Amino acid sequence: MKNFYFFIFLILCVNPLTAQQNYKTEQIIWNGETYPYRYHHMEQYFRYYPNKRPVASIDSTIINRNYLAIFEVIENQFYLKDFLIKGNNSELMNQSVLHKINNKKEPMLLNWVNGLFDIGIGSETFLKTDSINPVYDQYIVFEVKRGVIGRTELFTYNQMKLFKDYQYKRFKSTTDYDRLHSRLVYNGMTVNEANYHIYQFILFYSRSNFLR
């Protein structure tokens, strides 16, 4: 899965203007509230089951994936609640095709999802130095193992920054960091861009280093 997300993040970083104009988030329902969600777990699924993809992706990237996945956490389990595409004569994602993915016609447990993810809550703003990655008043950070929610934390913006600093410091001393950094530079980033990119997505890259 790391290779998959590497290419997602690379696309968003290399062509930020296009990404900002065209990129649409998924959605996640947490404790009954719906939030924007910037992880695309169904792309990993369609990679292994391409015949299950209900609608073609224009350019095989998440920017033009042509669907809206709605996730939900129910009793500490991570589900795909619905899967929407554009209906006939509509520019809105309002036609459910969940039944084409899950024959049971009910929310599908995402038992292949593992890692550390976050949900931004509150007002969404962009820093002057970064027009792609928004910042929020608070963050829900949660761990997933085979579709089951583990530890969760609620951080303020400042607490989230401290957490990312801590994760980044630990991850930077690993061989995984060296390999990732080299690959980013090889694919066109400068050294500083690669450093910043890894920091921005450190929760995903350092997912084995969740606070205990």
Side-chain angles (χ1 to χ4, degrees), residues 25-70:
T25 68
E26 312 285 26
Q27 294 180 5
I28 187 169
I29 302 171
W30 185 283
N31 288 336
E33 296 289 333
T34 301
Y35 302 99
Y37 188 64
R38 286 176 166 78
Y39 298 95
H40 302 277
H41 305 296
M42 294 310 297
E43 284 301 302
Q44 183 195 9
Y45 181 81
F46 294 142
R47 206 174 151 200
Y48 288 96
Y49 302 101
N51 60 314
K52 290 279 192 176
R53 185 186 287 272
V55 62
S57 176
I58 294 175
D59 57 10
S60 300
T61 73
I62 53 117
I63 294 176
N64 290 306
R65 63 195 184 280
N66 283 349
Y67 65 77
L68 169 64
I70 302 176

Side-chain angles (χ1 to χ4, degrees), residues 70-106:
I70 302 176
F71 304 102
E72 184 172 16
V73 174
I74 305 172
E75 296 181 350
N76 289 326
Q77 292 186 305
F78 198 36
Y79 288 91
L80 174 68
K81 178 181 177 62
D82 210 346
F83 193 92
L84 306 178
I85 64 172
K86 292 180 181 179
N88 294 333
N89 303 317
S90 174
E91 290 301 313
L92 301 176
M93 300 286 183
N94 58 8
Q95 179 179 337
S96 175
V97 290
L98 179 64
H99 62 282
K100 294 185 178 181
I101 301 172
N102 187 15
N103 294 331
K104 295 181 180 180
K105 300 181 181 179
E106 61 186 27

Side-chain angles (χ1 to χ4, degrees), residues 30 35 119-121 137-142 151-157 159-160 210:
W30 185 283
Y35 302 99
I119 304 168
I121 59 178
D137 300 328
Q138 291 183 308
Y139 296 84
I140 300 168
V141 178
F142 61 101
R151 181 170 175 172
T152 65
E153 295 285 354
L154 180 64
F155 292 141
T156 65
Y157 169 77
Q159 288 172 330
M160 182 67 159
F210 193 68

Side-chain angles (χ1 to χ4, degrees), residues 1-6 9 39 41 44 48 112-118 141-147 151 163 167-168 170-171 174 176 180 198 201-212:
M1 187 167 80
K2 282 191 175 182
N3 288 339
F4 167 70
Y5 279 102
F6 167 78
F9 299 148
Y39 298 95
H41 305 296
Q44 183 195 9
Y48 288 96
W112 68 87
V113 175
N114 297 281
L116 192 60
F117 307 99
D118 66 285
V141 178
F142 61 101
E143 189 176 37
V144 183
K145 294 182 179 179
R146 295 184 178 274
R151 181 170 175 172
F163 181 56
Q167 296 288 70
Y168 182 77
R170 291 205 297 178
F171 186 62
T174 67
D176 284 343
L180 174 61
I198 296 172
F201 298 104
I202 192 61
L203 295 193
F204 176 77
Y205 287 130
S206 66
R207 58 185 178 172
S208 63
N209 293 328
F210 193 68
L211 288 173
R212 303 297 179 187

Side-chain angles (χ1 to χ4, degrees), residues 8-23 63 126 128-133 189 193 196:
I8 287 178
F9 299 148
L10 187 62
I11 289 165
L12 292 176
C13 290
V14 170
N15 196 351
L17 181 59
T18 300
Q20 184 181 18
Q21 291 173 342
N22 298 327
Y23 174 64
I63 294 176
F126 289 88
K128 291 182 179 179
T129 55
D130 189 342
S131 62
I132 295 299
N133 302 290
M189 288 188 186
E193 287 171 343
Y196 182 72

